[in-house]
Amino acid sequence: MSTPYPFTALVGQEDLRLALLLNAVSPAVGGVLVRGEKGTAKSTAVRALSALMPEVAVVSGCRFSCDPASPDPGCPDGPHETGASGSRPARMVELPVGASEDRLVGALDIERALAEGVKAFEPGLLADAHRGILYVDEVNLLHDHLVDLLLDAAAMGASYVEREGVSVRHASKFLLVGTMNPEEGELRPQLLDRFGLTVEVAASREPDQRVEVVRRRLAYDDDPAGFAGRWADEESAVRARIVAARDLLPEVRLGDGALRQIAATCAAFEVDGMRADIVMARTATALAAWAGRTDVLAEDVRQAALLALPHRRRRAPFDAPGLDEDKLDETLEEFGGQDGDRGDRDEGGDDDPDPDPDGGPGGGPGGQPEPDDAPRVDGESAAQPESGEDREGGEPQPSGGGGGEQTAARAAEPFRTKVLSVPGLGEGAAGRRSRARTEHGRTIGARRPRGTLTKLHLAATVQAAAPHQRARGRSGPGLVVRRDDLRQASREGREGNLVLFVVDASGSMAARQRMSAVKGAVLSLLLDAYQRRDKVGMVTFRGSAADVALPPTSSVDAAAVRLESLPTGGRTPLAAGLLKAHEVLRVERLRDPARRALVVVVTDGRATGGPEPVALASRAARLFGADGVASVVVDCESGPVRLGLAGQLAGELGGTAVTLDELRADSVAGLVKDVQNSGQSSRRAA
């Protein structure tokens, strides 16, 4: 087994270390979500925590880690005899993003269950993580069906495995720790709320602190065991402090004054539900125990709010989580001091919630780097617009002249959009947009299993086994089933798609009120893509060229940032925009061939600049129709006289054209089901 990096050797990241240690003191806090850029010691810190956790008493031989003091009466390995107990180190179980459902919850042998009535069960990761840590790196990339299983287990403290009426249940209570890079997409709100605390981490910008990070990492890489040995005393001190805080925790008093502050803070920040109040109370209590006190003070409540509320407060779509500390201080001051809850401080206690008990080598800002090759997508400041608006028969005005330049217009308020979907039946990643063959959904048929059987089609299995019962010597009431008889249920659900936006930012779109409405529509579609678990990308065109403003990514937030800073002006190189989008799709098809694309072109349909711009745009559009790419054109033309160019473009693409008004969900019902219907009709007519 490799030697983990010592927890106390981490440089800085005080909030991260404190949040992890508070959960070690009181697992009831509910886990930690660590958000931050790559290379900031997120995974390193989580893996280092497991070495500090106290040992766990378990029933000897129990695969489900039952507590000898109160064994689970429904344990699949039970009932347990009294006295058969032992101990083991606390486990940290890692859940890979691409894990199967059986790997998470366990596998049930359906063949033996049907033929012999035996519940032959192989435990999964939820059983391994019971009374330990369940760690999910890149938790925001976890598939929806695994998220659903995690939510169920976290809510009920148990895992259920159901296979056609045969079920197994076992206890599963774990400390959930997740790390994520927000640039790669956000979490579902239900899972986000299940994390008790959240912390934002970032690398230090101070050269001296970064030097110390590199020095320690190189020393660890050269001699992991020797490096860990040099930090053994600090590790032992923190481990002892965790044990002492756990022992003190039942004696900590959470008075009415602190409870009023907690309730007032949650109300002031308009958090949903009551989980935030409960988590804050548990966190403040753990903070007092960690500091060696038996009274919860105002600073404990403040620190608990900073850790427990940022991801729970109500905010506008695509706003980053955060907390207004001035508002927090005002609320605590208004509702503080209403009883004598501050009490007398323990002379021997530590009022400083520094996670390093000695204030020694673990201190200082910065972060321990970790390997991470994920691409970075940073928000950008508004780019300088190049040329002015289109002028008939003339070149765009040069920048610096003033009148022709257009700064970035603000997006209008987002709205609920019509459902745009890709026709046919796909096989891409699970999501919520287009029809697809999936592991979850309604049953539409049966087939022979490829590999491990996951979803049994009982009727088809019985039908396959029935003709062979006499030849197999059946004599009793039981059905004689062979592996060749088993049938896998074919299910239809929904998949996530790649929604590629091709946005016209030329001078013909530059009227500020018009561009504001266009950005509001794209922002609305981005919000819809987030809710439907799509990947998104963005190509913009203006002046004389097209740019990939955002390569395909799961971070809808990044797309919203790029959209907000998008300036307008110049000619309309429609052909360049379409060709750039076609190239993006070609590359993405090689990377993720199962994910189908939906191209959303946002334009008024005009094409200017260069020789034969209209003919070039028409030829570029026909490439999408030839490839069978689903497309929709959002027609941004306005005014009493309309040329209908967007509709012509949609016909060339083999897609559908909709106006901005028709895009709204509260407009004419049933506008868009399959965005290629009209294109297919036109091709049949041709």
Side-chain angles (χ1 to χ4, degrees):
M1 181 181 294
S2 60
T3 304
Y5 193 92
F7 189 85
T8 51
L10 292 169
V11 178
Q13 308 294 19
E14 285 85 359
D15 286 345
L16 169 58
R17 292 189 294 156
L18 178 60
L20 292 171
L21 288 169
L22 291 177
N23 276 274
V25 171
S26 176
V29 166
V32 186
L33 175 64
V34 187
R35 298 165 46 95
E37 60 194 24
K38 52 189 176 293
T40 49
K42 301 187 298 293
S43 299
T44 301
V46 175
R47 293 187 176 101
L49 175 68
S50 60
L52 300 178
M53 299 287 285
E55 287 197 340
V56 178
V58 296
V59 174
S60 298
C62 178
R63 297 175 297 167
F64 302 88
S65 302
C66 280
D67 186 351
S70 57
D72 180 10
C75 176
D77 284 356
H80 297 297
E81 298 180 1
T82 57
S85 63
S87 63
R88 60 163 176 79
R91 291 175 181 159
M92 190 196 73
V93 177
E94 294 196 42
L95 171 60
V97 170
S100 66
E101 179 179 331
D102 284 349
R103 184 71 187 98
L104 178 61
V105 301
L108 189 63
D109 191 330
I110 298 298
E111 185 178 3
R112 293 187 63 190
L114 288 177
E116 305 173 29
V118 176
K119 293 183 181 180
F121 181 69
E122 184 65 30
L125 297 177
L126 289 178
D128 293 341
H130 181 45
R131 305 177 66 205
I133 302 171
L134 181 62
Y135 171 50
V136 189
D137 193 14
E138 304 294 350
V139 64
N140 51 324
L141 304 182
L142 201 63
H143 289 304
D144 276 359
H145 68 282
L146 297 182
V147 170
D148 294 337
L149 294 170
L150 274 183
L151 289 172
D152 290 342
M156 298 183 293
S159 175
Y160 291 84
V161 183
E162 300 282 348
R163 293 290 187 272
E164 300 297 338
V166 181
S167 64
V168 174
R169 173 215 166 273
H170 64 82
S172 182
K173 297 179 180 179
F174 47 83
L175 174 61
L176 182 61
V177 180
T179 56
M180 61 174 282
N181 184 344
E183 296 166 351
E184 296 174 344
E186 287 291 344
L187 273 179
R188 281 173 52 182
Q190 296 93 332
L191 182 57
L192 186 63
D193 190 50
R194 281 293 169 187
F195 287 97
L197 310 179
T198 185
V199 291
E200 297 277 345
V201 294
S204 171
R205 300 295 183 254
E206 293 295 328
D208 291 343
Q209 296 159 357
R210 297 175 74 95
V211 165
E212 184 61 22
V213 170
V214 176
R215 182 181 292 119
R216 294 187 188 184
R217 185 72 207 194
L218 293 178
Y220 170 76
D221 290 341
D222 289 341
D223 182 11
F227 183 82
R230 291 193 291 275
W231 291 87
D233 290 343
E234 287 82 357
E235 293 282 286
S236 297
V238 174
R239 192 178 296 109
R241 185 173 174 183
I242 291 173
V243 173
R246 280 191 173 191
D247 293 339
L248 183 63
L249 189 64
E251 302 176 22
V252 176
R253 186 176 73 96
L254 182 65
D256 289 343
L259 279 173
R260 277 194 293 271
Q261 286 184 317
I262 290 171
T265 301
C266 292
F269 285 98
E270 299 182 324
V271 298
D272 292 326
M274 295 297 298
R275 183 172 284 117
D277 304 64
I278 297 170
V279 171
M280 271 190 68
R282 290 171 174 166
T283 304
T285 303
L287 280 162
W290 178 249
R293 290 184 270 100
T294 57
D295 286 302
V296 174
L297 307 182
E299 52 261 39
D300 299 326
V301 176
R302 186 181 191 278
Q303 183 65 59
L306 293 174
L307 294 173
L309 296 189
H311 61 302
R312 290 189 169 91
R313 69 174 181 84
R314 290 187 180 179
R315 55 186 190 274
F318 308 121
D319 281 353
L323 214 61
D324 185 341
E325 295 194 31
D326 291 337
K327 181 178 179 180
L328 173 61
D329 291 335
E330 291 173 3
T331 303
L332 293 176
E333 183 177 355
E334 179 181 355
F335 289 89
Q338 298 187 25
D339 64 14
D341 279 347
R342 291 188 62 88
D344 296 328
R345 298 191 182 186
D346 186 350
E347 294 296 329
D350 180 8
D351 293 335
D352 182 6
D354 183 359
D356 186 345
D358 300 317
Q368 188 65 35
E370 62 192 78
D372 194 340
D373 296 326
R376 179 172 181 175
V377 183
D378 293 322
E380 294 179 344
S381 59
Q384 292 296 322
E386 38 187 70
S387 53
E389 298 183 23
D390 283 345
R391 299 177 182 273
E392 293 183 6
E395 292 298 320
Q397 289 186 346
S399 60
E405 293 190 5
Q406 297 288 333
T407 57
R410 293 189 62 85
E413 285 297 316
F415 52 84
R416 191 164 64 89
T417 66
K418 289 289 186 184
V419 179
L420 306 179
S421 62
V422 179
L425 198 61
E427 294 183 346
R432 299 179 180 177
R433 183 172 296 279
S434 304
R435 294 172 55 220
R437 297 181 184 91
T438 62
E439 289 295 318
H440 301 270
R442 64 186 183 91
T443 300
I444 58 173
R447 58 176 173 81
R448 290 182 181 274
R450 304 177 193 135
T452 304
L453 178 72
T454 55
K455 297 291 184 182
L456 179 73
H457 194 295
L458 184 58
T461 299
V462 172
Q463 187 176 11
H468 308 291
Q469 296 305 296
R470 181 175 298 176
R472 292 172 183 174
R474 174 186 171 187
S475 58
L479 187 68
V480 181
V481 180
R482 299 286 186 263
R483 182 165 296 277
D484 289 343
D485 302 328
L486 300 179
R487 294 294 182 269
Q488 174 84 21
S490 296
R491 296 174 182 263
E492 180 182 309
R494 294 282 169 175
E495 68 176 358
N497 298 116
L498 166 61
V499 181
L500 181 62
F501 294 93
V502 185
V503 182
D504 184 350
S506 65
S508 64
M509 304 282 287
R512 297 187 65 81
Q513 185 175 4
R514 184 192 212 179
M515 198 60 195
S516 177
V518 168
K519 286 188 175 183
V522 178
L523 192 66
S524 303
L525 290 167
L526 284 171
L527 182 58
D528 181 68
Y530 164 70
Q531 294 169 341
R532 299 185 188 281
R533 315 304 290 172
D534 295 316
K535 290 179 71 173
V536 296
M538 187 181 298
V539 172
T540 63
F541 57 94
R542 71 191 206 36
S544 59
D547 295 309
V548 181
L550 183 72
T553 175
S554 296
S555 178
V556 178
D557 288 353
V561 171
R562 301 297 172 90
L563 176 71
E564 191 67 27
S565 62
L566 179 66
T568 55
R571 292 191 178 277
T572 312
L574 177 57
L578 294 175
L579 290 174
K580 181 70 72 173
H582 189 267
E583 176 63 15
V584 169
L585 292 183
R586 185 189 68 80
V587 174
E588 190 63 19
R589 199 176 294 121
L590 296 174
R591 294 175 178 169
D592 191 358
R595 188 182 291 268
R596 298 186 295 163
L598 172 63
V599 175
V600 180
V601 185
V602 185
T603 182
D604 57 10
R606 298 183 183 182
T608 61
E612 299 183 344
V614 176
L616 284 175
S618 177
R619 287 198 293 270
R622 285 197 290 269
L623 293 174
F624 291 86
D627 290 346
V629 177
S631 59
V632 61
V633 178
V634 179
D635 184 359
C636 302
E637 193 174 26
S638 59
V641 179
R642 303 196 179 198
L643 302 178
L645 299 176
Q648 296 176 25
L649 175 62
E652 298 284 357
L653 289 166
T656 301
V658 298
T659 66
L660 289 175
D661 289 337
E662 290 172 337
L663 194 61
R664 293 178 178 271
D666 53 3
S667 63
V668 180
L671 173 68
V672 179
K673 289 294 183 183
D674 288 338
V675 298
Q676 277 191 315
N677 283 349
S678 64
Q680 292 169 349
S681 300
S682 63
R683 285 195 293 273
R684 284 196 296 269

